[in-house]
Amino acid sequence: MKRFFRKNAIRLLIAALLLAPAAVWFQSRGYDNAAMAGIPVYDNIEERSILADEDIQSLLEPSYFEYEAGHRQNGAGDAGGFEAKIRSIDYSAVSEEGAERVTDLPGDFGEALALTDQNGWAEYKFAVPEDGFYQIGMDYYALPGKRSGVVRSVQIDGEYPFFQAKKLTLQRMWRESGEPWQDNQGNEFNPAREEIFGWQYKALRDSEAKIAEPLRFYLTEGEHVLRIAAVREPAAMGDIRIFSPASPPDYAQVKRQYEELGYEETKGTRIKIQAEEASLRSDPTLKRVEDREPSTEPFNQKAIALNAFGGDSWRSGEQWAEWEFEVPEDGLYNIGMRFGQHYLNGIPTERKITIDGKLPFREMNGTLFPYKAGWQIKRLGAGEEDYLYYLAKGKHTIRMEVQVGSLGGLLDTVRVTSNKLSLLYREIIRVTGTSPDPNIDWELEGSVPNLVPRLHILARNIHDVVQSLYELGVEQGSSDISTLLEVRDTILGMADETRTIPGRLASINDLQSQLGTWINGLSGQRLLLDYILIQSPDQAWPKPVAPWHAKLKSSAMDLAYSFVKDYGGVGNVYEDEEALDVWVARGRDWVQIIKQMIDEDFTTETGIKVNVNLIPAGQMQALLLANTSGLTPDVALGVEGETPIDFAVRNALVNLNEFGDYDEVADRFRPGALIPYKYNGGDYALPENQNFNMLFYRKDVMSELGITDEEIPQTWEEAMALIPLLQQNGMDFYYPHAPNNPGVAVNEFAPFLFQHGGELYDEEGMSYSLDSPEALQAMEMWTSLFTNYKIEKQADFYNRFRSGEMPIGVADYSMFILLSTAAPELTGWWEMRPLPGIAQPDGRINRSTGGLGQTGIIFKDSEMKDEAWQFLKWWTSADAQERFGTELEALLGVEARWNTANVEALNRLPWERDDLDAILEQWEWFREREVVVGGYFTTRHIANMWNEIVLNGKLVREAVEEGVREINKELRKKREEFGLAAAGDGDGRSDQ
């Protein structure tokens, strides 16, 4: 060996030298767990920002964690031995509208008070005997509504004690309306879910389940006023209870009780509950799902078997599912389940488990399900000891409820840290400005109080969260941990080299976005269940996964079937029968709903059989290739808004206005929604959905700035007058701009153009009209937002809206979904209004805007044109659109709310009244842009115009005229290519 080393010493030395940099680089990619070892621990540093009083967060209620911790620091504790019960009809005050007494509900309450809309509220007076924490609960009966959960807010003595009290959810109850159904391919489909009405009791809890116990309200001795107000959906109230918090016993106490009572372990019993057969659930989105692991029961090698429960849809706080079972004898049992938890990388998810509506013992309030790539068996217990549960002979229920509990405090710590980082950022830019010269030494340590200690404290807060996650069993190397470590190390780097901070301002904003995304990601507590076991302690636990040879066999058979199975078809497939061929460019879940509606409604009513095939969403080239090869379907849905004209110019589509009732069908939509689908005197598509921009603003921030709801900008002139006030206070206005996606530039510009009375093209679509006076004024106004008013050219509006840095701006309706589902702390503090516009001589405000949605088209090669038209009429009808929107939201949640183009159907979907009124007002001005041959050049050169004017300082007229010349060249070229008349070629009529 020594001889080998002597002989190869030089080679080994060279290899070591070459490998050393790689080793150093690899080591540097990791994160140092001892990074905080040399960082001081600060005890008396003033951490409060000098901007804290100006910060909009100071206007918001504290979080529950801050609220409870603050009172406990002042010596508060739980009150003891108190309970008061108030009948809902014994109110001290009630709203004139939205509240009514009801007497026709089943149950023991006789007469009850129902809050039926957003205007409804009721107040109750009560007294408590001592200072301390109390909890509140109520009996409620969810009344028929729009299928969403009931939401209420609670005020004590005229104030919300914490922001969670503004959005308290009371779940409805749902069950399957029948057995799963199968198509003629043997694939299984979820049955419809129906609502079950009845009284329920609930102690008020955080709607995101980030607090493991019912909410505590601090009350001083004496009389108080409780106000309960409706936020969403109608419901009646039975009794309202105010009571002292009670802590359930732990398992050790319960086990001693078992021994004292002489309970004995049962023998020889195993009850297996298939999780997909849940008897009740809180949400219609909770459904059966398919899993292809061979041990998942039941398993169907040849077709889809819905053999598991939950998954992606079972993730939101307080969602629960319940199962019924029956035990043959009194005694002690073990409980476990086969589960899959591969959703959060290394981080456990959590469930609260109750039996017969009660918590068996304290440990069941937060059962952790650890992360693993494959299936696992969860034995409810501690370490190697399985918990024992006493069950009397007969029927029982077991309920599992989503809970974030163990992570809740950590998520709140990260939220608070993100807010402090935002304040620190604003302090820094007060010194440096938003675009500081990186070559100047700004001496930030002398300008920003306690800069380095505050950075160290922020880094330690993040570090402590990481250590807490390790204690929960999260392994080092988890990608979710890495996000926090990256933030920590970036903050430490700024503290080490404060001179680099001005050049890293963008990094601070990135850190806030990362933290916001991290919080939202971990709030989703997904879990997949195969079955639940109730068994005697002498029974062995099953293996969680199939043996390797079973997996190998299953994979081989799946491969073999892939050569003969049609994966594009959905639902019943008619091979040797006359059937309409419909292609849908959407996700499989969406298409399955459409197919189920077709089979249940359309085919039943008309007798027309339909084959539905799935094509990838957005892959319009599949339709183009099908048209080229002569294999087009009869109907296509989910077609992008610019696509119909591409086919119409090739004479590939049916002109829909050739059908006698086209005008009647067209009346379902706003007239401006049909503009993009007109060509050469024909109409070639019907809109399915449509996007639209709205104005969003923070009510609290505007109030702090002295802007009332009545003074929110109605016109662009008013919006521009507001921008300097925002910027003086370290805030900004947002208008969407996507520099890396020039394809949307025309949509960003079109509202200004249409509101000024301009047009993109002449009447024949032969030449561009951007050099008109109206168009030049529109271009000047659009670009002046970025040149004269210096608003951000690119920003994450959602996160900066939440932080208050951009308290007002323009966004599409998806912003509404985000704020409704992922920003509970802003409940009641934001509003959606119609887009600002241009005042007209008659006093009206032109708010014209569009947003090209998706369409349905009929191909000219179809041999079933009349049947295809019947189908398209049915699909775009109010009834079909309402059902689809309802089923979709029931399946995927409010984040999948269907933005139907049918005006009547929009009114039926579960929008809040104020939001719906704002949308309908905006729709009065709905106006889509024209789509013409060669129009792709238009959006490209509008993006170029913006770049030339905003980035390069070119004059508006000069940039526009250059762009118009290029666009007109392309329009003429493309029209000549398709044999169409071009500008200057006579009467302008098409040769077709």
Side-chain angles (χ1 to χ4, degrees):
M1 183 63 69
K2 292 180 179 179
R3 181 180 179 185
F4 170 81
F5 280 110
R6 285 197 300 270
K7 183 177 180 181
N8 296 282
I10 296 177
R11 293 189 181 94
L12 292 173
L13 179 62
I14 293 172
L17 291 173
L18 291 174
L19 290 173
V24 172
W25 174 83
F26 185 81
Q27 181 67 29
S28 69
R29 294 176 68 243
Y31 297 100
D32 183 7
N33 284 323
M36 302 300 298
I39 304 300
V41 176
Y42 301 93
D43 293 327
N44 55 358
I45 289 294
E46 177 56 66
E47 192 183 353
R48 192 171 185 268
S49 169
I50 61 173
L51 302 178
D53 292 333
E54 302 175 24
D55 178 31
I56 52 88
Q57 297 293 328
S58 65
L59 299 177
L60 296 175
E61 299 79 9
S63 76
Y64 177 79
F65 296 97
E66 296 166 323
Y67 170 84
E68 184 184 20
H71 281 295
R72 290 197 183 278
Q73 286 176 2
N74 293 326
D78 290 347
F82 175 80
E83 181 172 1
K85 184 183 295 184
I86 308 170
R87 295 193 307 162
S88 64
I89 56 173
D90 293 339
Y91 45 78
S92 58
V94 70
S95 58
E96 294 182 1
E97 299 178 357
E100 60 184 60
R101 290 175 180 247
V102 292
T103 58
D104 57 349
L105 299 178
D108 300 330
F109 292 103
E111 190 175 17
L113 181 70
L115 302 181
T116 56
D117 63 34
Q118 289 175 267
N119 298 315
W121 56 264
E123 289 184 348
Y124 301 90
K125 291 183 178 180
F126 66 97
V128 296
E130 62 174 321
D131 297 355
F133 286 114
Y134 296 81
Q135 293 173 329
I136 301 173
M138 71 169 70
D139 300 288
Y140 69 96
Y141 190 109
L143 298 170
K146 295 185 176 180
R147 297 167 61 98
S148 300
V150 176
V151 179
R152 295 292 180 261
S153 66
V154 167
Q155 289 178 294
I156 304 290
D157 300 327
E159 296 182 349
Y160 297 108
F162 36 82
F163 68 71
Q164 287 87 347
K166 295 159 69 175
K167 185 180 180 181
L168 302 169
T169 303
L170 309 173
Q171 287 87 358
R172 296 177 179 271
M173 295 184 291
W174 300 84
R175 70 181 178 192
E176 294 178 337
S177 60
E179 294 298 317
W181 61 279
Q182 291 186 338
D183 61 22
N184 57 12
Q185 311 299 302
N187 296 310
E188 198 171 39
F189 292 85
N190 274 286
R193 270 77 71 199
E194 63 182 5
E195 187 172 358
I196 302 301
F197 295 96
W199 286 101
Q200 301 181 69
Y201 173 78
K202 181 174 182 179
L204 299 183
R205 300 185 64 201
D206 168 35
S207 63
E208 292 190 310
K210 290 179 179 175
I211 296 101
E213 296 181 307
L215 298 168
R216 283 173 163 80
F217 298 82
Y218 180 77
L219 302 173
T220 56
E221 177 186 352
E223 189 173 90
H224 297 272
V225 177
L226 168 69
R227 172 179 282 209
I228 300 174
V231 178
R232 186 179 70 201
E233 294 285 72
M237 297 183 291
D239 290 337
I240 300 159
R241 306 179 191 186
I242 295 95
F243 54 92
S244 301
S247 180
D250 61 21
Y251 177 69
Q253 294 172 297
V254 171
K255 187 177 180 181
R256 284 196 296 270
Q257 291 175 5
Y258 290 163
E259 294 170 353
E260 292 170 2
L261 294 170
Y263 293 156
E264 295 184 356
E265 296 179 359
T266 58
K267 297 183 183 299
T269 297
R270 169 177 284 178
I271 300 165
K272 182 180 287 186
I273 309 167
Q274 293 298 331
E276 63 271 16
E277 297 176 355
S279 55
L280 276 180
R281 62 209 73 196
S282 63
D283 200 313
T285 61
L286 301 181
K287 59 186 178 67
R288 302 168 184 245
V289 295
E290 180 195 24
D291 182 74
R292 298 297 297 173
E293 213 276 346
S295 289
T296 307
E297 303 173 1
F299 183 72
N300 187 339
Q301 186 73 65
K302 297 182 180 180
I304 293 172
L306 300 179
N307 52 4
F309 179 85
D312 283 327
S313 62
W314 196 19
R315 67 184 186 276
S316 301
E318 295 197 295
Q319 282 184 319
W320 55 260
E322 188 172 279
W323 294 265
E324 295 178 347
F325 64 96
E326 186 172 354
V327 296
E329 60 177 318
D330 298 351
L332 299 175
Y333 295 82
N334 296 144
I335 298 178
M337 54 276 299
R338 182 173 185 260
F339 74 97
Q341 204 288 84
H342 51 268
Y343 301 99
L344 298 179
N345 187 2
I347 296 177
T349 59
E350 191 168 327
R351 290 295 183 271
K352 174 185 177 182
I353 301 178
T354 57
I355 296 175
D356 299 328
K358 297 179 180 179
L359 201 66
F361 37 83
R362 188 182 308 157
E363 287 81 352
M364 301 305 290
N365 194 40
T367 302
L368 296 178
F369 292 82
Y371 169 86
K372 189 177 181 180
W375 283 90
Q376 304 175 67
I377 292 292
K378 175 67 176 181
R379 301 157 52 183
L380 298 185
E384 295 299 316
E385 180 185 12
D386 296 336
Y387 293 142
L388 294 170
Y389 301 83
Y390 176 76
L391 299 172
K393 178 181 178 180
K395 291 185 177 180
H396 299 271
T397 60
I398 182 169
R399 175 180 291 194
M400 297 178 66
E401 181 178 321
V402 177
Q403 186 156 276
V404 189
S406 299
L407 292 175
L410 304 181
L411 298 179
D412 196 66
T413 298
V414 174
R415 180 192 65 82
V416 172
T417 301
S418 178
N419 180 55
K420 290 180 179 178
L421 193 61
S422 174
L423 288 174
L424 190 59
Y425 170 81
R426 287 172 56 194
E427 287 185 58
I428 292 169
I429 63 174
R430 281 199 171 188
V431 177
T432 66
T434 55
S435 301
D437 187 336
N439 299 313
I440 296 177
D441 184 357
W442 294 94
E443 299 182 355
L444 290 177
E445 291 185 56
S447 303
V448 179
N450 298 318
L451 174 62
V452 172
R454 288 164 65 190
L455 287 170
H456 284 162
I457 291 171
L458 293 177
R460 186 170 296 282
N461 290 342
I462 297 295
H463 180 80
D464 289 345
V465 169
V466 171
Q467 300 308 308
S468 297
L469 289 171
Y470 288 153
E471 291 174 7
L472 281 175
V474 180
E475 295 183 2
Q476 297 187 26
S478 164
S479 60
D480 287 311
I481 293 288
S482 299
T483 298
L484 294 182
L485 293 174
E486 181 182 352
V487 172
R488 181 201 67 184
D489 290 354
T490 302
I491 294 174
L492 288 176
M494 292 179 180
D496 288 343
E497 295 287 343
T498 57
R499 291 188 59 178
T500 66
I501 291 177
R504 304 167 75 173
L505 291 180
S507 296
I508 299 179
N509 278 329
D510 290 342
L511 294 182
Q512 293 179 73
S513 296
Q514 288 181 52
L515 293 177
T517 302
W518 186 85
I519 292 171
N520 290 338
L522 263 66
S523 297
Q525 297 280 295
R526 296 165 176 82
L527 187 70
L528 189 64
L529 276 188
D530 180 18
Y531 52 73
I532 301 171
L533 290 172
I534 316 290
Q535 64 182 37
S536 300
D538 63 348
Q539 298 295 298
W541 295 98
K543 294 184 181 298
V545 296
W548 68 269
H549 53 82
K551 291 182 180 180
L552 180 61
K553 178 183 177 182
S554 177
S555 298
M557 294 184 70
D558 281 344
L559 177 62
Y561 282 125
S562 70
F563 291 102
V564 296
K565 187 176 180 180
D566 178 14
Y567 289 92
V570 177
N572 291 324
V573 177
Y574 306 98
E575 296 182 352
D576 300 321
E577 304 174 67
E578 184 179 58
L580 203 63
D581 191 16
V582 176
W583 290 9
V584 185
R586 292 195 173 95
R588 181 168 287 276
D589 285 338
W590 301 50
V591 177
Q592 286 177 345
I593 295 174
I594 296 172
K595 177 57 174 172
Q596 183 173 348
M597 289 173 56
I598 291 170
D599 290 342
E600 294 178 0
D601 297 341
F602 179 72
T603 300
T604 302
E605 294 171 6
T606 65
I608 301 171
K609 297 177 180 178
V610 180
N611 285 327
V612 174
N613 288 278
L614 173 68
I615 61 175
Q619 299 296 311
M620 294 299 101
Q621 62 266 32
L623 290 175
L624 185 62
L625 293 172
N627 182 58
T628 304
S629 60
L631 299 174
T632 53
D634 300 295
V635 177
L637 302 179
V639 178
E640 300 296 335
E642 294 187 343
T643 302
I645 297 307
D646 288 340
F647 286 98
V649 74
R650 293 169 171 83
N651 199 29
L653 299 185
V654 172
N655 180 1
L656 301 182
N657 64 28
E658 293 177 356
F659 295 107
D661 54 351
Y662 170 78
D663 290 338
E664 179 184 342
V665 174
D667 285 341
R668 299 169 176 173
F669 317 102
R670 296 300 308 163
L674 300 170
I675 291 174
Y677 319 124
K678 295 181 179 294
Y679 165 72
N680 199 29
D683 296 89
Y684 291 92
L686 290 180
E688 298 179 87
N689 56 19
Q690 58 192 35
N691 205 349
F692 47 91
N693 282 329
M694 302 290 289
L695 181 72
F696 295 84
Y697 72 95
R698 288 280 297 269
K699 297 167 70 174
D700 51 348
V701 182
M702 293 295 104
S703 175
E704 177 73 6
L705 294 174
I707 307 297
T708 66
D709 285 351
E710 292 73 25
E711 295 171 326
I712 294 300
Q714 298 289 324
T715 66
W716 286 112
E717 288 80 3
E718 293 173 356
M720 291 174 176
L722 174 64
I723 292 173
L725 177 62
L726 293 171
Q727 293 173 339
Q728 288 167 16
N729 288 273
M731 305 173 192
D732 209 350
F733 184 88
Y734 176 77
Y735 188 80
H737 178 63
N740 298 322
N741 187 8
V744 300
V746 67
N747 295 330
E748 297 164 359
F749 169 62
F752 295 95
L753 177 66
F754 297 150
Q755 291 171 14
H756 277 89
E759 299 289 342
L760 280 172
Y761 310 98
D762 62 14
E763 292 183 4
E764 294 81 16
M766 297 184 187
S767 61
Y768 206 36
S769 297
L770 255 192
D771 49 0
S772 68
E774 297 84 2
L776 290 171
Q777 287 178 336
M779 182 65 70
E780 176 73 34
M781 178 173 282
W782 178 40
T783 54
S784 70
L785 287 172
F786 303 93
T787 55
N788 297 343
Y789 292 93
K790 305 295 184 183
I791 69 170
E792 291 280 354
K793 301 177 181 65
Q794 185 179 14
D796 183 345
F797 182 43
Y798 165 65
N799 278 311
R800 298 182 75 172
F801 187 83
R802 289 182 70 178
S803 70
E805 295 173 83
M806 286 185 166
I808 184 169
V810 173
D812 64 19
Y813 96 108
S814 62
M815 179 70 172
F816 169 86
I817 301 299
L818 275 172
L819 293 175
S820 299
T821 58
E825 75 278 11
L826 298 185
T827 299
W829 287 112
W830 62 273
E831 193 164 324
M832 180 172 68
R833 291 279 185 90
L835 191 71
I838 304 295
Q840 305 298 295
D842 62 1
R844 302 178 72 200
I845 297 176
N846 186 333
R847 305 179 189 272
S848 297
T849 186
L852 280 184
Q854 295 170 312
T855 69
I857 57 178
I858 300 175
F859 281 92
K860 200 163 190 176
D861 289 343
S862 171
E863 298 179 355
M864 302 177 68
K865 293 183 178 64
D866 290 335
E867 292 84 351
W869 176 237
Q870 286 189 63
F871 173 80
L872 206 54
K873 287 193 299 181
W874 166 81
W875 171 241
T876 58
S877 68
D879 289 343
Q881 289 290 290
E882 179 194 10
R883 180 180 173 189
F884 179 69
T886 301
E887 293 284 348
L888 186 63
E889 193 163 337
L891 178 68
L892 301 176
V894 68
E895 54 264 44
R897 180 166 294 173
W898 180 240
N899 52 326
T900 178
N902 185 302
V903 179
E904 183 181 349
L906 179 79
N907 277 282
R908 299 182 189 177
L909 292 175
W911 294 92
E912 303 294 348
R913 187 71 253 173
D914 291 345
D915 298 323
L916 181 60
D917 289 344
I919 291 171
L920 292 176
E921 182 180 351
Q922 181 61 64
W923 274 23
E924 288 297 316
W925 294 96
F926 194 81
R927 159 73 194 277
E928 292 284 22
R929 58 185 174 85
E930 299 89 344
V931 177
V932 302
V933 178
Y936 57 87
F937 237 54
T938 300
T939 190
R940 183 183 306 171
H941 276 279
I942 287 179
N944 291 343
M945 293 174 197
W946 188 94
N947 290 335
E948 290 295 328
I949 296 167
V950 175
L951 302 182
N952 297 331
K954 186 170 285 189
L955 294 175
V956 170
R957 178 176 290 277
E958 183 180 350
V960 168
E961 288 177 348
E962 288 180 4
V964 167
R965 283 195 297 269
E966 296 301 317
I967 294 170
N968 284 339
K969 287 180 186 177
E970 188 67 15
L971 293 182
R972 183 181 184 90
K973 174 184 174 183
K974 297 303 292 186
R975 294 185 69 85
E976 290 175 351
E977 179 182 335
F978 286 99
L980 305 175
D985 288 351
D987 60 9
R989 292 174 296 182
S990 169
D991 292 345
Q992 296 181 8

